[in-house]
Structure formats: structure tokens, C-alpha cells
Amino acid sequence: MLEIKNLYVDIDEKPLLKNINLVVKDGARHRIAGHNGSGKSTLVNTIAGDSSYTIKSGKIIFDGKDITKENATTRALMGIFLGAQNVPEIPGLTVLSFLKHSMAAHTHFNTGKDLSMGEFLEKLESAREQLNIPKEWLNRSVNVGFSGGERKRIMLLRLILTNPKLAILDEPDSGADIDTKKQIIDTINKMPKTTFLFISHQDDFSSKIKINETTTLDNGEIVIK
Ligand code: ADP
Ligand code: MG
């Protein structure tokens, strides 16, 4: 699903990742572990195409294609989902419009067809009920005024609606209470076809989502066991 070869990443000329080699198998639940500041978020943001990081050398292969030079939007459309650690607030863009635009873009990219309003609303309602999300959230601005746990639930809504090939979740359990954690676990376990790459510090969470591979980073490098 994902292969990273000899990847070196800088930010403002400061080296953050060194010689990263990583394979995430199709259907895996793969965990990235490591201390704070070891480079976990840098790695997953780079995979998703965050342009603030500079790829100095190396390659990122996704689903058999070299995506090293693709931008974040193309990577998202190709099927890479990022549930980032820090999410932006977007005043003026409602959750409803945001989800509709994301899902319409994915539908168009994958099928060449326009998303019908009926299909969108049907899928939205089913996902909203699954996550027990109040209807009024849909008319609020994206992430503005939402608590940490509520933002995670909006992330889950987007995850279900866009149904990615590879879902990257950066500390999905941080700031989530017991009920939200359970929703995160249930949502992941209901998506057996999606490959997951997680960052999580919490062992109880990791065991419930059936992690089958772990890669540990230290100071921007993979720790060889
Ligand atoms: P982790 O997610 O493992 O806690 P990060 O990938 O966020 O770690 O950060 C790795 C290192 O890179 C840290 O030392 C952090 O301060 C540094 N870093 C991350 N982003 C930036 C940035 N935008 N500018 C400067 N340094 C950064
Ligand atoms: Mg991080």
C-alpha cells in the first residue's frame, strides 16, 4: 500500500527525518511509536503532502505510484486520508459544505461522475447516526468552537464519507474521552478494507484496534530492533 525509500526531510534547512525506509502492507494496522519530538507527525504529514516540509531525497510510493512530487490535494484524492494532530479552524465554511465538497471531489476523481445530493445526504445521515452527531453541528464552521473530542468526531465523519485506501491518524485518541475513544475504535474496526497508519501513545487503545506492525522513531530515524 505504502513504501517509503531512503527518505530525508528538512524544514527550513533543519534535518527532521533521516534515511526512513518503511513498508505499510495492504490492510495493515501499522503503528508509529516514539517519544515526543521524535518525528512522527513530520513523517505522516510528509506522507500526506504537507508542503511546509522539504523532501531532500528519497521516494514515497503509494498504491504502486510514485507520489513524491504530488501535492496534498492529489494525494488525498488518490486515497490518502490524514486525521492530523492539529486541525485548522475554517471560519465561514460549514461542516456540511466541507463534507460535501470533499466527498464530491473524491467521487469525481474516482468515477468521473458528479455526486448526487441524494446520495450525499443518505451517506451523511447514516454516518451521522453511526457517530451520534447532532444535526446542528453541520451548520457550524469547521472546527471553530468544537472541543478536542468533538473535532475527532468530525474527523471520523470525514473518514467514513471519503472511505480512503490509507487512513493516517495522528494521535486520534488524545483529547478524547471514553465514549469518543470507543467511537474511534468502532469506526476503525468497521473499515477492514482500509489500511491504517496510526500514531498513539496509549497501549490500551493500540490493542483494541489490533495493531499488527509497529515502527519506532527516535530523533528522526527508525530504530532497528
Ligand atoms: P512528534 O510528532 O514525534 O512528537 P514532530 O514530528 O512533531 O514530533 O517533531 C519532530 C521535531 O521536528 C521536533 O523537534 C520539532 O520541534 C521539529 N519540528 C516540527 N515541525 C517543525 C517546524 N514547522 N519548524 C521547526 N521545527 C519543527
Ligand atoms: Mg506529533
Side-chain angles (χ1 to χ4, degrees), residues 48-66:
D50 185 332
S51 59
S52 38
Y53 303 96
T54 309
I55 297 180
K56 283 297 204 186
S57 61
K59 269 191 184 150
I60 306 175
I61 315 285
F62 170 67
D63 210 14
K65 296 172 199 88
D66 185 347

Side-chain angles (χ1 to χ4, degrees), residues 11-12 14-17 32-45 50 52-53 85-86 170-171 199 201 217 219-220:
I11 198 157
D12 302 332
K14 175 180 147 191
L16 293 186
L17 296 177
I32 308 282
H35 295 294
N36 291 331
S38 58
K40 304 181 298 297
S41 293
T42 302
L43 176 58
V44 298
N45 293 341
D50 185 332
S52 38
Y53 303 96
Q85 191 167 19
N86 303 307
D170 191 349
E171 304 206 15
I199 298 172
H201 291 290
L217 286 179
N219 197 20

